[in-house]
């Protein structure tokens, strides 16, 4: 399953795949960046509804996108993050820059 | 049945040894193998996720840092290069009672400074958007972590974790 991208009201919605590891992370980052360049994106929403696994490669995706949009005041959100994904976000310190929502 | 088998004392209950190419498509394969291997111990969902994450981190490190195979790779895929560094990753798992031991080993470039590598956020590959959290996750999700490595001598990660909470403990949660 591949990640799915959609722009709604200047927010880039990224539906993350079932498994996020190094195998896929490069492609997700590149695709996300192509939207950041094209549209005037104010924020990115990472949707983890379908995600059953994520390792540090997912942290790299989020951190990398944060570096790109934060200087322009962009914000990052995480929705539908299960318990394990939340733990990853907290341990990595990403919870400080990502707004975790239900 | 289990009791009888235990009489044959061999120091462990079950063992798995495998070797695979150091390419990215094998990261999920290694995770699946270790989950199937520990399933009979009835680990909690959290324990299962912990072990999968730790194994994924160690295997990914071997592929990316050990052998420098940084790109995503699918066998037979047109866009994937046929010429990549053909290193092997070895995974060894052992169950002894309710304790899982996992070893992930590569013959790649090895680590110069293990202490520094262990620091959260330290990475030698920031340009690849590595976050430097791999070892931090292995430490957080497993009970024990050891790193045996030297420059040019590969890397061996040894991890342990006790699995299968007691039924009455699970009810408490
Ligand atoms: N098997 C290995 N062979 C050689 N060097 C390694 C190996 N594993 C780790 N390292 C070194 O240790 C550093 C830290 O590893 P760690 O997994 O914590 O972070 P990372 O892989 O750089 O980033 P992340 O895991 O968050 O994607 C790496 O950047 C690399 O320099
Ligand atoms: Mg790593």
């Amino acid at each position: 399953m591949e990640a799915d991208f959609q722009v709604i009201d200047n927010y880039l919605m990224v539906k993350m795949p079932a498994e996020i590891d190094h195998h896929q992370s490069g492609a997700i980052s590149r695709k996300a960046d192509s939207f950041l360049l094209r549209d005037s994106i104010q924020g990115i929403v990472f949707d983890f509804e379908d995600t059953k696994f994520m390792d540090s490669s997912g942290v790299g995706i989020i951190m990398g996108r944060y570096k790109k949009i934060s200087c322009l005041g962009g914000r990052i959100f995480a929705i539908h993050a299960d318990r394990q994904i939340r733990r990853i976000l907290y341990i990595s310190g990403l919870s400080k820059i990502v707004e975790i929502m239900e | 049945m289990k009791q009888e088998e235990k009489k044959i004392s061999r120091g462990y209950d079950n063992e798995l040894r495998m070797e695979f190419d150091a390419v990215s498509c094998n990261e999920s394969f290694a995770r699946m193998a270790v989950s199937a291997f520990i399933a009979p111990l009835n680990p909690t969902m959290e324990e299962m996720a912990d072990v999968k994450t730790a194994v994924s981190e160690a295997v990914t490190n071997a592929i990316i840092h050990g052998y420098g195979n940084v790109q995503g790779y699918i066998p037979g895929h047109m866009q994937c290069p046929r010429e990549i560094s053909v290193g092997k990753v070895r995974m060894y798992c052992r169950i002894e009672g309710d304790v899982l031991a996992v070893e992930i080993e590569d013959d790649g470039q090895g680590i110069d400074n293990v202490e520094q590598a262990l620091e959260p956020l330290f990475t030698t590959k920031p340009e690849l958007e590595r976050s430097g959290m791999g070892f931090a996750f292995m430490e957080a999700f497993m009970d024990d972590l050891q790193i045996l490595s030297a420059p040019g001598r590969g890397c061996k990660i040894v991890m342990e974790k006790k699995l299968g909470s007691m039924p009455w403990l699970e009810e408490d949660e």
Side-chain angles (χ1 to χ4, degrees):
Chain A
M1 203 198 93
E2 283 188 24
D4 190 58
F5 298 80
Q6 237 183 318
V7 179
I8 303 171
D9 293 341
N10 291 330
Y11 278 81
L12 175 63
M13 315 284 292
V14 185
K15 185 100 179 179
M16 297 293 252
E19 309 236 313
I20 306 166
D21 63 9
H22 150 243
H23 184 59
Q24 310 215 351
S25 59
I28 298 174
S29 294
R30 279 192 298 277
K31 188 91 188 272
D33 287 352
S34 71
F35 281 93
L36 297 188
L37 283 175
R38 212 165 51 205
D39 307 282
S40 50
I41 299 294
Q42 288 172 6
I44 306 175
V45 181
F46 290 100
D47 184 348
F48 294 100
E49 189 171 18
D50 298 332
T51 305
K52 291 174 184 68
F53 179 82
M54 180 171 100
D55 65 15
S56 64
S57 308
V59 176
I61 298 175
I62 299 173
M63 239 182 225
R65 306 293 76 62
Y66 176 76
K67 282 183 192 152
K68 297 219 156 134
I69 72 162
S70 61
C71 51
L72 302 165
R75 291 156 73 193
I76 303 243
F77 302 86
I79 57 171
H80 299 126
D82 70 13
R83 188 183 157 141
Q84 187 70 9
I85 292 170
R86 277 167 197 249
R87 285 172 74 202
I88 300 251
L89 296 179
Y90 279 102
I91 295 171
S92 63
L94 271 187
S95 52
K96 291 182 201 129
I97 56 173
V98 175
E99 293 170 54
I100 303 169
M101 318 203 333
E102 283 314 304
Chain B
M1 182 191 123
K2 291 252 164 62
Q3 306 282 324
E4 300 234 326
E5 278 171 11
K6 274 206 172 147
K7 280 184 196 156
I8 312 162
S9 174
R10 44 181 192 176
Y12 59 87
D13 299 332
N14 200 6
E15 210 180 40
L16 164 77
R17 206 178 286 277
M18 54 188 232
E19 185 178 90
F20 49 86
D21 275 356
V23 289
S24 70
C25 58
N26 288 333
E27 291 155 8
S28 64
F29 171 67
R31 293 198 295 274
M32 280 189 271
V34 76
S35 349
F37 184 71
I38 62 174
L41 290 181
N42 289 323
T44 61
M45 271 172 65
E46 192 177 321
E47 287 168 342
M48 189 63 109
D50 289 352
V51 170
K52 281 168 79 172
T53 310
V55 165
S56 196
E57 295 298 348
V59 169
T60 303
N61 278 354
I63 295 172
I64 296 182
H65 303 296
Y67 296 111
N69 285 334
V70 298
Q71 283 173 309
Y73 180 90
I74 306 167
H77 198 279
M78 297 255 293
Q79 279 162 15
C80 292
R82 281 190 177 258
E83 281 167 44
I84 48 164
S85 124
V86 270
K88 301 282 182 188
V89 180
R90 289 181 295 282
M91 181 164 100
Y92 166 75
C93 305
R94 185 182 65 239
I95 290 170
E96 234 181 287
D98 55 1
V99 176
L100 166 75
V102 191
E103 297 176 11
I104 313 275
E105 195 177 2
D106 66 69
D107 306 312
Q109 69 168 42
I111 303 177
D112 292 329
N113 183 338
V114 171
E115 214 173 304
Q116 187 182 40
L118 273 169
E119 281 169 27
L121 302 178
F122 174 83
T123 179
T124 49
K125 292 216 171 2
E127 73 284 2
L128 291 176
E129 297 199 336
R130 304 319 303 177
S131 61
M133 287 307 297
F135 281 130
F137 289 155
M138 290 182 238
E139 270 189 319
F141 296 146
M142 302 294 276
D143 297 339
D144 192 53
L145 167 69
Q146 282 174 54
I147 300 153
L148 308 164
S149 186
R153 308 275 301 269
C155 180
K156 181 173 174 175
I157 304 297
V158 183
M159 300 183 281
E160 270 191 24
K161 188 176 177 72
K162 192 175 175 315
L163 297 175
S165 311
M166 296 299 179
W168 56 85
L169 285 180
E170 252 178 12
E171 270 166 32
D172 272 3
E173 283 194 354

